[in-house]
């Protein structure tokens, strides 16, 4: 079915940098474009796979890179809009096209003729009959890996089994997410006596009242739960008994034997993932996942987590002792033990006392426009020579979106020096999902003559009309972080579109974004953006010092709860099918044993997620991959040290980081890019020092 010519996706956008023509795109344009895109892509792949000529780089590798452009145009715009401005219509489209797209990908990856052509090309290269450029060699390697991991080498019967497993696992992951969401609504703590809310800020109290009304408990207060174990309200609630109720409600999610119980779901998921891994020739799911990451093996992941754990736990024990000293002594019985429910509350008490850190007093110095222009963009100007010009003539997918043209060094504003477009979508709205993220709308590619168009999405609360947008310190860090992803996309300088910018393994992609956070702390950049919005007064030095001093407090807790969750994730996915427990009653025991075996079973520091509400892992994408954040942090901390050793914020450093790392994208082994930059493999020590763990491990 041909796509109507008036559908904006039917042709390449004629706007600058091929920015999708959002003024013309309507919600009902997406589905026909995606369906026509899949048909077109399938036909293109059919031509490549059925080519009677022997395979060459041009007729196979490059032809594949040129295929599927309509589909890609439509999907990039669609997925961005779905995340940033969803409507029921778009969600219905997603429900219809997601399974079709999964099947479409599978059909290509399981096409044995295509696989044979790629293998023949590899053999010719191995025999020296074909010379591959390094990026083409890496592309061929990753394509062969993708086909093999999808099961192309399996027999027809095995492929049928695999398809069945994939379908069932997709259902189970959706079921886990559904139960969790419904269970979370039911698991909130209902409070009827306002005295129990002592300490809670007024806006949280009114939110709790509204939540209770919505749940049919008019006149009461409902403390709803967020996903992680440790709940935000625990920082403020003064009554220890109420904190304890919240903590118990949080940790027992998914275990009540009712319709929200997730234990049977997660056990079947763990078993079927192990079955699938063995069918594909791996000992377990963790090995399958690691192969496709920069870690390479599950043992390498385990080794890294095991090296970090003792240092983090020692640090958490020190923090626990300091917090326990703040507990009121009970008459006749002395101080009671520190409980997990108390941690956040006491931690706030300590931070306020020791560091005199007042988050609210910082905000007037952190005005959005100034932080962006004189902080985030200024750091990119100083490092990479970039300049930014707002394009009021170009529109985004929502009125909130602002469009900036990005110019390369030396000739700002000159025609031809344009690098791409940066779209900024800062404010929260009901149609936007939570959190912060970066999307590509156009992938940079020399082959296709394309430059990058990228989006940053945040969820900053919009101020009252006419008032300035004043940020929290966390929001400032998030702005720098997401812009690090944007730079990875914008500064990409590769030939093949599938290797563009952020097309790198998951345990690598957070590395450049985390590095970019360092510029928020840089004294020169900080002086430039942290200025009182009304008086123009710079942020006083004692506040800066307090921020710096407070930076390490709590690292023991956060690192330990994170590592515990990562180790738990690995433990579930290092099992063979027969080793997965079969009874829901065994889940808690398995979890406790896994934490104890890894030495991270501190009663006061439970894992950031327990198995029964570990949505990253059992609800989808991060199975056996929750470790990725800290893996990226190892690279990040080592790179921050490299910048520091070489003089920090300089054009020369920016240029080196850009050319050796950011520009390479996924066009070679990412760890080779790191080695080019650092001159060696990554070392774990800089991360330990940053986390305040340095002294513990130097022995
Ligand atoms: Zn990120």
């Amino acid at each position: 079915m041909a796509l109507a010519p008036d559908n904006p996706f039917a042709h390449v956008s004629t706007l600058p940098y091929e920015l999708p023509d959002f003024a013309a795109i309507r919600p009902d344009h997406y589905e026909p474009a995606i369906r026509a895109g899949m048909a077109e892509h399938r036909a293109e792949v059919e031509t490549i796979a059925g080519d009677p000529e022997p395979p060459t780089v041009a007729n196979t590798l490059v032809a594949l890179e040129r295929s599927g452009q309509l589909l890609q145009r439509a999907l990039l715009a669609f997925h961005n809009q779905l995340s940033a401005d969803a409507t029921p219509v778009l969600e219905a489209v997603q429900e219809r096209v997601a399974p079709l797209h999964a099947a479409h990908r599978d059909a290509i990856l399981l096409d044995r003729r295509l696989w044979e052509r790629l293998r023949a090309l590899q053999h010719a290269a191995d025999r020296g009959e074909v010379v591959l450029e390094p990026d083409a060699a890496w592309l061929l390697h990753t394509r062969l890996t993708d086909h093999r991991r999808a099961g192309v080498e399996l027999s027809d019967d095995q492929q049928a089994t695999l398809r069945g497993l994939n379908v069932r696992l997709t259902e189970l992951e959706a079921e886990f997410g559904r139960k969790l969401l419904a269970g979370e609504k039911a698991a909130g703590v209902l409070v009827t006596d306002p005295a129990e809310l002592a300490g809670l800020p007024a806006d949280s109290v009114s939110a709790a009242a509204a939540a209770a009304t919505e749940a049919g408990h008019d006149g009461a207060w409902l403390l709803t739960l967020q996903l992680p174990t440790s709940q935000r309200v625990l920082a403020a609630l003064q009554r220890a008994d109420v904190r304890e109720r919240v903590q118990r409600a949080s940790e027992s999610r998914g275990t009540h034997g009712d319709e929200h119980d997730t234990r049977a779901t997660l056990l079947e998921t763990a078993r079927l993932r192990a079955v699938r891994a063995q069918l594909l020739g791996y000992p377990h799911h963790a090995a399958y996942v690691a192969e496709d990451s920069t870690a390479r093996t599950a043992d390498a992941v385990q080794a890294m987590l095991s090296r970090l754990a003792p240092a983090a736990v020692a640090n958490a024990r020190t923090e626990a002792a300091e917090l326990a000293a703040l507990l009121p002594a009970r008459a006749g019985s002395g101080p009671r033990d520190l409980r997990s429910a108390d941690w956040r509350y006491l931690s706030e008490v300590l931070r306020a006392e020791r560091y005199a850190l007042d988050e609210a007093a910082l905000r007037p110095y952190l005005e959005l426009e100034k932080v962006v222009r004189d902080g985030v963009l200024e750091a990119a100007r100083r490092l990479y020579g970039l300049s930014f010009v707002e394009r009021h003539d170009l529109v985004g997918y929502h009125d909130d979106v602002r469009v900036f043209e990005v110019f390369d060094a030396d000739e700002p504003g000159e025609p031809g020096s344009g690098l791409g477009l940066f779209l900024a979508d800062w404010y929260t709205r009901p149609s936007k999902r939570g959190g912060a993220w970066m999307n590509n709308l156009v992938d940079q590619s020399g082959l296709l003559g394309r430059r990058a168009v990228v989006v940053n999405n945040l969820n900053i609360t919009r101020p009252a009309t006419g008032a300035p947008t004043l940020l929290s310190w966390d929001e400032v860090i998030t702005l720098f972080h997401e812009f690090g992803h944007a730079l990875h996309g914008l500064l990409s300088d590769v030939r093949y579109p599938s290797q563009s910018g952020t097309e790198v393994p998951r345990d690598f992609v957070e590395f450049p974004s985390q590095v970019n956070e360092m510029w928020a702390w840089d004294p020169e950049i900080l002086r430039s953006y942290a200025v009182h919005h009304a008086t123009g007064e710079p942020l006083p030095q004692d506040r800066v010092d307090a921020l710096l001093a407070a930076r390490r407090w709590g690292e023991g807790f956060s690192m330990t709860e994170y590592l515990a969750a990562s180790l738990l994730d690995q433990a579930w996915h290092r099992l063979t099918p027969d080793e997965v427990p079969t009874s829901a009653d065994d889940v808690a025991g398995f979890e406790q044993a896994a934490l104890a075996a890894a030495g991270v079973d501190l009663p006061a520091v439970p894992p950031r997620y327990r198995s029964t509400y570990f949505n990253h892992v059992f609800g989808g994408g991060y199975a056996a991959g929750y470790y990725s954040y800290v893996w990226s942090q190892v690279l990040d901390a080592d790179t921050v040290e490299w910048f520091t050793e070489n003089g920090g914020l300089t054009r020369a450093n920016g240029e080196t980081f850009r050319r050796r790392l950011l520009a390479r994208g996924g066009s070679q082994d990412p760890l080779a890019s790191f080695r080019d930059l650092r001159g060696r493999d990554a070392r774990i020590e800089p991360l330990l020092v940053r986390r305040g763990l340095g002294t513990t491990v130097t022995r």
Side-chain angles (χ1 to χ4, degrees):
M1 188 184 62
L3 187 58
D6 64 342
N7 186 306
F9 293 109
H11 49 80
V12 174
S13 164
T14 55
L15 293 174
Y17 305 93
E18 302 182 14
L19 175 72
D21 188 359
F22 291 113
I25 295 169
R26 294 191 316 262
D28 61 343
H29 286 136
Y30 285 113
E31 186 167 353
I34 293 167
R35 286 177 181 267
M38 288 193 288
E40 183 186 288
H41 192 204
R42 189 73 198 117
E44 289 164 343
V45 170
E46 185 58 35
T47 305
I48 299 167
D51 192 340
E53 294 295 316
T56 63
V57 171
N59 73 18
T60 304
L61 268 187
V62 172
L64 282 170
E65 289 294 305
R66 288 186 186 279
S67 71
Q69 293 193 34
L70 166 59
L71 179 59
Q72 184 73 350
R73 272 201 299 281
L75 279 179
L76 288 177
F78 176 64
H79 285 143
N80 179 68
Q81 186 131 10
L82 192 64
S83 64
D85 195 24
T87 62
V89 170
L90 292 181
E91 274 159 5
V93 171
Q94 168 68 357
E95 239 170 71
R96 285 193 297 271
V97 303
L100 295 178
H101 186 234
H104 172 75
R105 275 179 47 84
D106 261 0
I108 292 173
L109 288 172
L110 295 177
D111 189 320
R112 294 199 181 98
R113 298 164 306 160
L114 200 55
W115 161 252
E116 287 304 339
R117 289 182 74 79
L118 292 166
R119 282 221 306 182
L121 196 56
Q122 182 69 62
H123 288 149
D126 293 344
R127 289 193 299 266
E129 296 159 12
V130 171
V131 177
L132 298 175
E133 301 277 334
D135 56 348
W138 184 248
L139 179 63
L140 181 55
H141 165 78
T142 51
R143 283 218 179 254
L144 282 167
T145 307
D146 289 347
H147 283 276
R148 187 170 45 71
R149 291 169 58 78
V152 73
E153 291 175 306
L154 302 182
S155 70
D156 288 347
D157 281 357
Q158 288 172 316
Q159 284 187 357
T161 306
L162 180 65
R163 266 193 291 271
L165 285 167
N166 286 338
V167 169
R168 181 64 188 143
L169 278 164
T170 308
E171 286 169 3
L172 285 167
E173 286 167 4
E175 179 180 301
F176 188 90
R178 257 197 322 272
K179 284 182 172 177
L180 193 56
L181 195 63
E184 233 149 55
K185 287 191 174 142
V189 173
L190 194 67
V191 171
T192 49
D193 176 2
E196 296 188 334
L197 299 174
L200 209 57
D203 56 341
S204 303
V205 173
S206 42
T213 302
E214 203 191 307
H217 303 286
D218 233 342
W221 297 266
L222 185 63
L223 301 173
T224 54
L225 299 178
Q226 287 102 40
L227 207 46
T229 298
S230 179
Q231 300 295 311
R232 274 201 295 273
V233 288
L234 294 176
L237 287 168
Q238 286 169 2
R239 291 243 319 237
D241 59 327
V242 185
R243 295 201 297 264
E244 190 62 30
R245 270 159 60 201
V246 171
Q247 185 75 22
R248 294 281 77 81
S250 172
E251 288 193 48
S252 66
R253 279 175 284 174
T255 65
H256 299 295
D258 55 8
E259 74 273 24
H260 308 313
D261 196 311
T262 53
R263 290 175 295 179
T265 312
L266 77 88
L267 288 176
E268 187 181 349
T269 304
R271 191 174 61 78
L272 294 188
R273 281 175 181 161
V275 169
R276 182 174 61 183
Q278 292 204 336
L279 180 64
L280 288 164
Y282 301 83
H284 41 60
H285 189 66
Y288 174 75
V289 170
E291 186 204 38
D292 200 26
S293 66
T294 62
R296 292 281 156 76
T297 68
D299 288 347
V301 173
Q302 194 71 20
M304 189 270 298
L305 295 175
S306 305
R307 270 197 76 191
L308 287 167
V313 167
N315 203 1
R317 286 190 203 283
T318 309
E319 289 172 7
E322 292 182 57
L323 293 181
L326 297 172
L327 283 167
R330 296 277 167 84
S333 65
R336 63 175 167 84
D337 282 344
L338 180 70
R339 289 192 299 234
S340 55
D342 301 325
W343 195 292
R344 257 185 121 122
Y345 179 76
L346 295 174
S347 197
E348 285 309 303
V349 172
L350 183 140
R351 276 160 64 90
E353 278 179 10
R354 183 182 296 174
Y355 303 111
L357 194 64
D358 181 353
E359 290 271 356
L362 277 176
R363 283 180 179 264
Y365 296 90
L366 305 172
E367 189 269 317
L368 175 65
E369 285 297 311
K370 189 128 186 73
V371 172
V372 170
R373 190 183 60 238
D374 298 333
V376 177
L377 302 185
E378 176 65 12
R381 188 183 73 75
R382 306 262 297 260
L383 287 161
Y384 310 110
L386 304 182
S387 54
F388 301 83
V389 176
E390 185 156 7
R391 292 283 303 254
H392 296 282
D393 57 321
L394 298 176
V395 297
Y397 49 88
H398 187 277
D399 286 348
D400 284 355
V401 179
R402 291 163 63 182
V403 182
F404 297 83
E405 186 169 7
V406 186
F407 292 96
D408 209 344
D410 302 324
E411 34 181 359
E414 290 294 315
S417 69
L419 254 186
L421 295 176
F422 169 62
L423 277 63
D425 189 357
W426 307 132
Y427 292 112
T428 193
R429 53 178 171 263
S431 61
K432 200 191 265 198
R433 73 168 162 84
W437 64 96
M438 170 270 205
N439 279 334
N440 297 5
L441 285 170
V442 177
D443 289 324
Q444 182 274 332
S445 161
L447 177 73
L448 304 177
R450 291 205 173 120
R451 289 164 295 177
V453 178
V454 305
V455 189
N456 272 180
N457 258 292
L458 273 78
N459 270 286
I460 295 168
T461 304
R462 187 190 299 280
T465 313
T469 304
L470 304 179
L471 305 175
S472 69
W473 182 251
D474 279 352
E475 286 168 338
V476 171
I477 297 295
T478 304
L479 277 171
F480 277 88
H481 176 98
E482 294 308 329
F483 196 70
H485 288 304
L487 286 168
H488 203 183
L490 286 164
L491 298 177
S492 171
D493 188 12
V494 301
R495 187 184 341 221
Y496 300 119
S498 72
Q499 299 180 329
S500 177
T502 51
E503 294 292 328
V504 293
R506 189 174 43 196
D507 58 356
F508 195 80
V509 76
E510 292 300 326
F511 154 46
S513 53
Q514 291 181 130
V515 167
N516 205 55
E517 293 175 22
M518 76 182 285
W519 308 118
W521 296 93
D522 182 89
E524 285 177 48
I525 297 293
L526 189 65
R527 254 199 308 280
S528 160
Y529 74 79
V531 172
H532 196 286
H533 71 97
T535 66
E537 173 210 0
L539 183 64
Q541 190 57 42
D542 59 338
R543 296 241 170 92
V544 177
D545 294 343
L547 258 182
L548 283 167
R551 206 177 162 187
R552 279 185 187 165
W553 167 258
E555 290 289 0
F557 178 88
S558 69
M559 195 71 168
T560 301
E561 65 154 13
Y562 167 78
L563 289 173
S566 302
L567 286 155
L568 192 55
D569 171 31
Q570 291 296 311
W572 278 113
H573 295 107
R574 289 174 68 97
L575 301 176
T576 63
D578 292 344
E579 289 168 351
V580 177
T582 50
S583 160
D585 295 333
D586 297 334
V587 169
F590 175 84
E591 182 173 300
Q592 190 48 42
L595 296 174
V600 287
D601 54 336
L602 272 66
V605 190
R608 188 173 295 173
Y609 304 94
R610 291 199 177 274
S611 309
T612 49
Y613 51 92
F614 205 161
N615 195 47
H616 286 77
V617 163
F618 291 110
Y622 273 78
Y626 192 64
Y627 79 90
S628 299
Y629 297 96
V630 78
W631 190 274
S632 285
Q633 273 176 30
V634 170
L635 303 173
D636 153 34
D638 205 353
T639 302
V640 167
E641 194 178 86
W642 173 84
F643 268 108
T644 310
E645 283 167 8
N646 289 285
L649 184 78
T650 68
R651 266 297 269 124
N653 285 346
E655 198 61 17
T656 304
F657 187 58
R658 172 178 177 172
R659 296 294 165 206
R660 296 194 184 161
L661 205 124
L662 296 175
R664 302 271 176 87
S667 67
Q668 62 178 12
D669 179 351
L671 287 183
S673 304
F674 182 86
R675 249 175 260 125
D676 281 350
L677 176 77
R678 199 66 175 103
R680 56 165 172 74
D681 285 327
R683 286 212 287 254
I684 208 168
E685 283 72 16
L687 178 63
L688 294 173
V689 172
R690 174 196 293 182
R691 295 290 198 146
L693 310 172
T695 51
T696 321
V697 289
T698 43
R699 53 199 154 85

